[in-house]
Amino acid sequence: MKTQRFFKDAQNPWEELGGGMRRKIIAWSDDLMAVCVSFDKGAIGTAHFHDIHNQIAYVAAGSFEVTIENETHILKAGDAYQALKTEMHGVVSLEDGSVLIDMFSPMREDFLS
């Protein structure tokens, strides 16, 4: 997969992740990656942590129950969260069509394979 200078949504298909989740990689460099992730209602982004990646997620649509290190909040469109590397975090989608824009530093090489 080659990075794009311009991202046009209609020209980029969704990658099915299973469990009611899909993603589109928007763009990346060595230091940064942006990814759009769409969730069906009730889809679970299982709690996990990253060894080397810091993550910021912006709620572009819908709402989520977000847990970071045993602290839980309901976030709606326009809200965001930050999960630093090694912080356990996960989400549950509360509405169909809920969307996160995930940003990772450094970029997620595993998403490109």
Side-chain angles (χ1 to χ4, degrees), residues 25-45:
I25 298 173
I26 297 170
W28 72 91
S29 67
D30 290 342
D31 300 322
L32 181 65
M33 176 179 268
V35 180
C36 180
V37 187
S38 176
F39 295 75
D40 293 340
K41 182 177 183 176
I44 299 170

Side-chain angles (χ1 to χ4, degrees), residues 73-94:
H73 290 262
I74 303 299
L75 300 182
K76 299 179 180 181
D79 297 337
Y81 69 86
Q82 174 178 249
L84 300 177
K85 59 186 170 187
T86 73
E87 289 185 330
M88 188 67 70
H89 60 283
V91 302
V92 177
S93 173
L94 302 177

Side-chain angles (χ1 to χ4, degrees), residues 46-98:
T46 304
H48 65 285
F49 67 90
H50 308 280
D51 289 326
I52 63 170
H53 302 102
N54 291 317
Q55 177 179 352
I56 295 172
Y58 173 77
V59 181
S63 59
F64 293 87
E65 178 183 273
V66 179
T67 302
I68 303 172
E69 293 288 309
N70 299 316
E71 183 178 354
T72 301
H73 290 262
I74 303 299
L75 300 182
K76 299 179 180 181
D79 297 337
Y81 69 86
Q82 174 178 249
L84 300 177
K85 59 186 170 187
T86 73
E87 289 185 330
M88 188 67 70
H89 60 283
V91 302
V92 177
S93 173
L94 302 177
E95 302 174 45
D96 273 331
S98 291

